[in-house]
Amino acid sequence: MNARILLIEDDSGLANALRGVLGDEKYEVTVVSRGNEGLTAAQTGKFDVVLTDLKLPGLSGLDLVKQLHATHPRLPTILMTAHGTTETAIEATKLGAYDYLLKPFEMEELLDLVSKAVKSSRLMTEVVDLGQPIPGRNAIVGNSRPMQGVYKEIGRIATKPVNVLIRGETGTGKELVARAIYQHGDRAQKPFVAINCSAIPETLLESELFGHEHGAFTGADKQRIGRFEQAHGGTLFLDEIGDLQLTTQAKLLRVLQERVIQRLGGRETITVDVRVIAATHRDLDAMIREKTFREDLFYRLSGMVINLPALRQRAEDIPNLVRYFLNKYGTELVDSAPGISTEALNFLVTQQWPGNVRELENAVRQAILMARGYTITEEHVRKVMEKPSQQTQQDGQSLKDYVAALLLEAQAGKLERVHAVAVEEVERQVFGQAIKLANGNQAKAARWLGISRLTMRERLTQFGYRTPEAESETPG
């Protein structure tokens, strides 16, 4: 479903321009011109994000934020304001606005912020089903004994006022478990803020967590509210906590102990009431022994611990997962959910899946595309799963040598579809290097490549790149 944006702007020229830009990104945009009309629409309609001017007839943007946050604290509101009213915008952010934009702004900046706000909104509002036979679009799928244990743990700790540590291999669905804990807990009507600690450069992570004041460092051209303040009263999900450097670990420990933060470059002590749910695929016990992870932080984070099983440890859940992905992506990719042969399903069940559920999800998506809407056969899934020795370009290998190696494998009868394999690998390299160079900023990377952000997002998902804004939920 396309995200729904409520735009509150009394300048008809700007409103039409923003409607056009957001519409190009497949957002559904509703426009109103008065603040009181916007408040009524936001409170009675269903929107993912509110985008509003600060100065409005009828009701100011500041009053709108106050009233909307009081009744709908999970609905992200983005303010647009001129430089002369920056202090008011900062005050609105403290009162619950998701963020603000200073006019004039670049459209890429707007789209980047809206994309993040939409993701944040859906993390809070899209329900995570637990072990249902016919789950929704966000589900932890599986009725095996290990997964029944996970469901019991979620129910046992959801309402307890303790921090939670989720441990499991990459691709097992840790974010969905975090969201399920949040949705079943007593903070479910408050914000849920997620941050991937491994996707943000260490030099910027502290600012992301705690915020910064104007001029705190080079490039800090405005005050920023950190994730702890955004999550005040609610839940903060720290994914890949094992990737934190020791200096950031020490500052996080202080926040957990004292429940106060200081923005970078600031002196004000700010009290925060946040439940922390952390997740990692790393062996924290080994890291503690190696002195790369603080033992005292570990104990602060692990008030309760949930260990997610690897997919190979619950292979009996694979048929249900496959059917779930067929239903989820069938209509999206080929107009209807295709069938799958018994042989193909049995083949998938026998695989080891080192990438766990995320790898299975990607395999099913590729098989749907390969079968073009017809029944998925064992031949389809075998082609998806085959990994020729030269399929991935090696570091330092020229494109010419890489293509030559592929053709040699084809000549020997070991590889088909050389053109598709080569094009896919080149695209993987281009998109991977672009998003890395852009520090995860999809709008910037898309502009460099001369493509739309929608195409950028689709390719990142296709190739399995996980960024703060493109990171997709993985059913468990």
Side-chain angles (χ1 to χ4, degrees):
M1 183 183 297
N2 294 335
R4 295 150 299 191
I5 311 297
L6 174 61
L7 173 60
I8 310 172
E9 174 58 65
D10 61 328
D11 182 331
S12 59
L14 179 58
N16 288 333
L18 293 176
R19 187 207 296 266
V21 170
L22 293 168
D24 288 343
E25 293 295 321
K26 309 303 181 183
Y27 294 122
E28 296 179 5
V29 184
T30 299
V31 180
V32 297
S33 60
R34 298 179 61 84
N36 54 328
E37 294 173 356
L39 179 63
T40 300
Q43 290 178 330
T44 58
K46 292 184 178 180
F47 296 98
D48 295 287
V49 173
V50 174
L51 180 63
T52 179
D53 199 355
L54 187 59
K55 290 188 174 182
L56 292 167
L59 184 71
S60 73
L62 183 60
D63 288 333
L64 186 148
V65 168
K66 287 180 181 178
Q67 296 185 42
L68 191 55
H69 188 68
T71 58
H72 292 69
R74 299 191 301 176
L75 178 59
T77 303
I78 299 172
L79 285 152
M80 300 177 292
T81 179
H83 283 276
T85 53
T86 300
E87 292 302 319
T88 307
I90 292 172
E91 182 63 26
T93 309
K94 292 179 181 178
L95 293 172
Y98 180 79
D99 211 329
Y100 66 92
L101 285 164
L102 294 178
K103 299 178 181 177
F105 49 79
E106 297 291 334
M107 288 302 179
E108 289 85 353
E109 182 184 7
L110 169 74
L111 293 174
D112 181 50
L113 190 55
V114 168
S115 176
K116 291 178 180 178
V118 167
K119 177 176 171 55
S120 179
S121 175
R122 291 189 166 178
L123 286 175
M124 289 184 275
T125 57
E126 291 190 349
V127 177
V128 177
D129 293 320
L130 300 180
Q132 299 299 317
I134 308 176
R137 286 190 60 82
N138 292 276
I140 305 173
V141 180
N143 293 310
S144 61
R145 185 178 295 274
M147 292 309 297
Q148 290 297 329
V150 170
Y151 303 146
K152 290 178 183 177
E153 287 297 312
I154 292 173
R156 186 176 296 124
I157 67 177
T159 59
K160 300 296 188 296
V162 296
N163 296 327
V164 181
L165 177 64
I166 306 171
R167 308 180 73 169
E169 295 179 8
T170 297
T172 48
K174 296 184 286 295
E175 182 182 287
L176 283 183
V177 172
R179 287 172 54 195
I181 295 170
Y182 158 73
Q183 290 172 357
H184 287 81
D186 52 9
R187 295 176 182 245
Q189 297 307 311
K190 299 295 184 179
F192 176 87
V193 178
I195 181 170
N196 187 331
C197 300
S198 67
I200 300 174
E202 182 67 22
T203 53
L204 300 178
L205 185 57
E206 189 176 343
S207 171
E208 283 287 325
L209 289 171
F210 311 124
H212 64 252
E213 300 291 349
H214 172 72
F217 52 84
T218 302
D221 56 353
K222 65 177 183 177
Q223 185 190 60
R224 179 181 177 83
I225 304 300
R227 302 301 178 91
F228 268 94
E229 282 185 84
Q230 288 182 10
H232 180 67
T235 301
L236 179 64
F237 175 50
L238 300 176
D239 199 6
E240 300 301 350
I241 193 75
D243 289 358
L244 288 181
Q245 297 296 314
L246 286 170
T247 52
T248 309
Q249 290 179 32
K251 294 173 182 178
L252 176 59
L253 176 64
R254 176 177 178 270
V255 175
L256 296 180
Q257 289 174 332
E258 302 177 13
R259 295 185 177 274
V260 297
I261 64 166
Q262 280 186 323
R263 301 190 196 107
L264 290 180
R267 296 182 179 180
E268 180 185 5
T269 298
I270 303 166
T271 301
V272 289
D273 173 22
V274 174
R275 182 188 196 179
V276 173
I277 302 177
T280 183
H281 72 282
R282 296 188 179 276
D283 185 346
L284 294 187
D285 301 298
M287 293 182 68
I288 290 171
R289 292 192 298 270
E290 296 165 359
K291 307 297 184 183
T292 56
F293 198 87
R294 295 181 62 115
E295 186 172 14
D296 45 5
L297 176 59
F298 173 80
Y299 289 121
R300 282 285 176 179
L301 292 170
S302 56
M304 297 289 284
V305 179
I306 292 182
N307 293 295
L308 291 186
L311 185 55
R312 61 185 173 277
Q313 296 171 328
R314 56 181 186 107
E316 61 267 41
D317 289 330
I318 291 177
N320 282 338
L321 281 162
V322 170
R323 295 186 184 98
Y324 169 74
F325 292 132
L326 290 175
N327 287 323
K328 181 176 181 179
Y329 295 115
T331 302
E332 174 186 326
L333 298 175
V334 292
D335 297 328
S336 63
I340 185 168
S341 71
T342 301
E343 294 78 14
L345 196 57
N346 290 339
F347 177 81
L348 293 172
V349 170
T350 62
Q351 303 305 297
Q352 288 299 301
W353 304 111
N356 292 292
V357 181
R358 188 179 304 129
E359 184 183 3
L360 175 63
E361 178 179 15
N362 189 53
V364 172
R365 286 186 56 157
Q366 291 186 45
I368 291 172
L369 290 170
M370 189 175 292
R372 295 176 297 176
Y374 296 99
T375 299
I376 296 173
T377 66
E378 183 177 356
E379 180 182 5
H380 291 137
V381 295
R382 283 186 178 276
K383 284 186 176 181
V384 168
M385 296 297 296
E386 68 183 11
K387 297 178 181 178
S389 59
Q390 299 295 332
Q391 185 168 335
T392 300
Q393 188 175 5
Q394 304 298 313
D395 290 341
Q397 184 183 30
S398 71
L399 180 61
K400 179 180 178 180
D401 291 339
Y402 170 66
V403 173
L406 289 178
L407 290 171
L408 285 174
E409 288 205 358
Q411 187 179 25
K414 298 179 181 179
L415 177 64
E416 298 178 358
R417 302 168 53 249
V418 168
H419 176 265
V421 170
V423 170
E424 179 178 340
E425 181 59 21
V426 170
E427 283 199 336
R428 186 190 305 276
Q429 295 288 342
V430 169
F431 282 92
Q433 292 187 40
I435 199 66
K436 181 178 180 180
L437 185 62
N439 289 323
N441 188 316
Q442 291 183 20
K444 186 182 294 184
R447 187 169 67 253
W448 293 342
L449 297 180
I451 60 174
S452 70
R453 282 187 76 257
L454 180 61
T455 300
M456 189 76 196
R457 190 182 308 127
E458 290 174 345
R459 290 294 191 274
L460 290 173
T461 300
Q462 175 186 345
F463 297 133
Y465 291 114
R466 294 169 66 81
T467 74
E469 48 183 330
E471 188 174 8
S472 60
E473 298 82 19
T474 301

